[in-house]
Each structure stands twice: as C-alpha cells, then as structure tokens.
Amino acid sequence: MVMKEQILGILTCLLALFGCKSESCDVRALCVRDEIGNYIIKWETNPVIKGIAKLYVSDVPDKFDMNHPAASTSIEDGFIRYITSDNIQRKYFRITFNDHSPQDVAARYTFMDNIQNFRDVGGYKSKKGRQVRWGKLYRSGNIHNFSEQDSIRLIEAGIKTIIDLRTAHEVKEQPIYFPNTQIIHIPIPCGNKEEMNQRILENKVRKRDGTLFMEDAYIRFIANNTEDLGDVFRILLDKKNYPILISGELGKDRVGLFISLLFSMLDIPQESITQEYMSSNLYIDPSFMAKTVSALSTDAQETMTVLLSVNESFLNIAYREIENRYGSFDNYRETGLKISGKNRDRLKDLLLK
C-alpha cells in the first residue's frame, strides 16, 4: 500500500496532469490522503499570483456550499491541509483563488484493508479541458475478502454496479457478493496464470519469461477479447449503472487496459493515460507474496515481480496490436468495440464535465 513517505513523490509526479485554464491564470491542483484520513491539497499557479486560496468541502462531488469555506490560506503557500480522524467518509474539495479559477479535487486512492488497488479515476483533464467526473467510476482488484471497514467505504462510494473481469475459474475460487449491488461478470482471461504460477513455484522459469507472458496476454486482450471489452463499454453507456466499480484480480491488466481505452475515447492526453495505468505500481502491495517469493530462484522472483506489476511496454504492445489489426484507434472503436461516434459522445457526456 502507499506509505506516507510516498505522498510527496505522488504529488510531484501527478501535479502537472491536472490543470484548469481561466482568463487570469493557469492553475494545477491535486489532493492526496494519508492512512488516517487527513488530506493535503496542493496547487501551482502560472503566473505566480498572490492572494487568498479558499477551500470548500463536500461529502458528494459537485455540490459545495460556496458561502462557507472550510479553510483558507495564502495562495503562495502552495498547499493546505484538511485534518480529520475519519478514514471512512470520503471528502471532495473545491479550491478557489481570489474567488476565481475553481478547482474540484479529491483523493484518488482509498486505503483499504483487504482490497488491492482501489481508486477513483476521476479528475483527469481531456485535451479540451473537460474533467473526468469524480465519484462516477472506480477500479480495483478482487473485493472477495473485503473487511467490515472496506464494506463501509464501498457503501460510502455509492457503488451500484461491479463489473468483474475475472474468469469463471477465478470467480468460482473467490466469488464476490455485495449487498444492493448488481454484479456483472464479463470474463477476460489474462493468460494461463495457473500454469505460470506452477512453473514459478517449481522454479521452471527463465529470465524474461514473465515479460513474454504478459506481452502475450495483452496481445490476446485485443485479438480475443475485443467483443468482451465492448460489452463493458455498453454497461457504461447506461447512466442508471453509476457509480461503477471495474475489478479484476489485482485490477492492473484487464482493468488497466480497459481504462486506457476509455480514456482514449474521452480524449485524455497520452501522458495522463500512461500515468493512470502505471499508478497501479504505487497501489498494489506485493507483501502478500513475500513468504512464497523468498523461497524462489532469482529468475522465478523476477517473473513473480513482473506478474505483480505493470509496465508501459505492455500497454504499448496492446495499442500496436490495435494498429496492426484495425489501422487506427477510431476504426477499432467503430468496428472492433462497436462503439459508434454517437455513443462515444454519450460516454463523454456521462463521464466528463
């Protein structure tokens, strides 16, 4: 899980991705949350301006009492803290600069007891300056073993639909149930994980076997599962299904590829698409495999590390496969995923503001 000492690094690598133009200045702001529940909201302005930054707080996105700021500070400070001992109830923030240039931010990652890689994909800006809505679409690993507090956090997120991308075998081994939530299974295999895991345990893998396995899996996502990915998009077209959680085993490969395809449709810049995809490496805690890994050979340990992480090259291979098979992403959208231009625009209306 994300450690406290990683927060500064997360702030640094993400800050440039969230901007909002106003007539007076260009503002970039973001928010992170620690394990206790406290928030840090950080910003930069270009050009540098002086004055007062005001912070407004809400329990739901897009609804703020603009008559009562929760806190204020000098714009030049560059950050403000919102202190709370509640690590269950999620907060949304709007920050203004001299009562102009409002920025809506929230903490992307939610600390969970037993759910890996749970996060909100809101906040990213499109090429035309529209923002992915907060609190509409989440992603995560398997929620099978959720704790009581995890359950409360999921309820607080208001999730109505869980799209489970695991295979029938994975679902049988670890079925999921969550009250008052529709669960839709769209199985997308991620290679023969059972066989690969057995080879790892028997130390029958060589250097780069893990990389080759994952590259092949991403090619197969496009070659064999485009229709399934299209089915996920069609669920997103129905506004009654929101908020939606898309989950997988660790929520990094099948889920990561789908979110990248969605962001491509929403005209999110490639830098942000890559950043969102690679963020899984920050939010997956591999310690659950520590005892197993310690007994493995060096090559087997390397293979296991690859299987527990994401690499930009995997995503690139999937997009090269799209180019090879369909000629362009737009043609893939139209003829492969079968998402028309009209439905693409509907997705933008549902997910962008």
Side-chain angles (χ1 to χ4, degrees), residues 274-342:
T274 301
Q275 177 64 50
E276 168 58 24
Y277 172 77
M278 293 297 294
S279 291
S280 287
N281 288 338
L282 296 172
Y283 303 137
I284 292 173
D285 179 7
S287 63
F288 70 99
M289 292 296 298
K291 185 175 181 180
T292 300
V293 169
S294 64
L296 299 177
S297 68
T298 301
D299 286 348
Q301 288 182 14
E302 179 187 278
T303 300
M304 183 62 76
T305 299
V306 172
L307 297 186
L308 294 175
S309 59
V310 292
N311 190 298
E312 185 178 350
S313 67
F314 303 157
L315 198 60
N316 292 339
I317 280 175
Y319 277 83
R320 282 202 296 271
E321 187 69 11
I322 289 172
E323 291 289 331
N324 291 338
R325 288 177 175 268
Y326 296 92
S328 69
F329 181 81
D330 277 343
N331 193 42
Y332 175 65
R333 170 183 58 77
E334 287 270 4
T335 64
L337 298 169
K338 294 182 171 54
I339 300 297
S340 66
K342 181 178 179 180

Side-chain angles (χ1 to χ4, degrees), residues 154-169:
L154 291 172
I155 291 171
E156 291 287 347
I159 292 168
K160 294 182 179 178
T161 304
I162 298 173
I163 304 173
D164 187 352
L165 302 185
R166 296 176 303 149
T167 63
H169 175 74

Side-chain angles (χ1 to χ4, degrees), residues 82-264:
Y82 182 79
I83 306 298
T84 172
S85 59
D86 180 4
N87 70 350
I88 301 295
Q89 176 68 53
R90 188 181 186 206
K91 299 295 184 183
Y92 299 88
F93 302 94
R94 176 170 293 169
I95 186 163
T96 64
F97 303 86
N98 294 327
D99 296 322
H100 296 289
S101 306
Q103 300 288 293
D104 290 357
V105 295
R108 182 170 311 289
Y109 177 72
T110 298
F111 289 92
M112 293 287 195
D113 296 330
N114 297 325
I115 301 175
Q116 295 267 17
N117 204 11
F118 183 93
R119 62 190 194 265
D120 188 333
V121 302
Y124 291 98
K125 295 293 180 67
S126 75
K127 295 173 184 176
K128 293 186 177 180
R130 299 178 71 185
Q131 184 183 50
V132 180
R133 297 179 187 274
W134 291 105
K136 294 281 282 186
L137 186 62
Y138 297 85
R139 58 180 292 180
S140 78
N142 184 10
I143 72 165
H144 166 74
N145 195 34
F146 63 83
S147 69
E148 181 178 353
Q149 285 197 322
D150 291 340
S151 173
I152 296 171
R153 294 182 183 107
L154 291 172
I155 291 171
E156 291 287 347
I159 292 168
K160 294 182 179 178
T161 304
I162 298 173
I163 304 173
D164 187 352
L165 302 185
R166 296 176 303 149
T167 63
H169 175 74
E170 290 174 301
V171 171
K172 183 178 179 181
E173 290 289 312
Q174 294 187 322
I176 62 173
Y177 169 77
F178 202 77
N180 304 314
T181 303
Q182 67 167 335
I183 299 174
I184 302 172
H185 295 289
I186 300 180
I188 298 177
C190 189
N192 191 336
K193 283 284 185 68
E194 292 77 17
E195 179 184 345
M196 175 56 76
N197 288 337
Q198 189 61 39
R199 287 174 56 196
I200 291 172
L201 292 175
E202 295 174 0
N203 288 314
K204 293 182 178 179
V205 290
R206 295 170 297 178
K207 192 177 182 64
R208 278 192 51 79
D209 276 0
T211 298
L212 294 172
F213 177 86
M214 293 309 305
E215 290 175 348
D216 182 66
Y218 275 71
I219 290 172
R220 289 173 183 270
F221 290 155
I222 305 304
N224 300 338
N225 299 110
T226 287
E227 183 177 346
D228 303 310
L229 292 165
D231 288 341
V232 182
F233 277 106
R234 280 176 275 283
I235 295 169
L236 267 60
L237 285 168
D238 188 344
K239 67 179 181 180
K240 296 192 299 294
N241 290 329
Y242 290 91
I244 295 172
L245 169 63
I246 305 176
S247 71
E249 181 184 8
L250 290 174
K252 66 183 185 71
D253 297 308
R254 293 165 282 198
V255 178
L257 174 63
F258 176 80
I259 296 298
S260 78
L261 297 174
L262 173 65
F263 275 19
S264 293

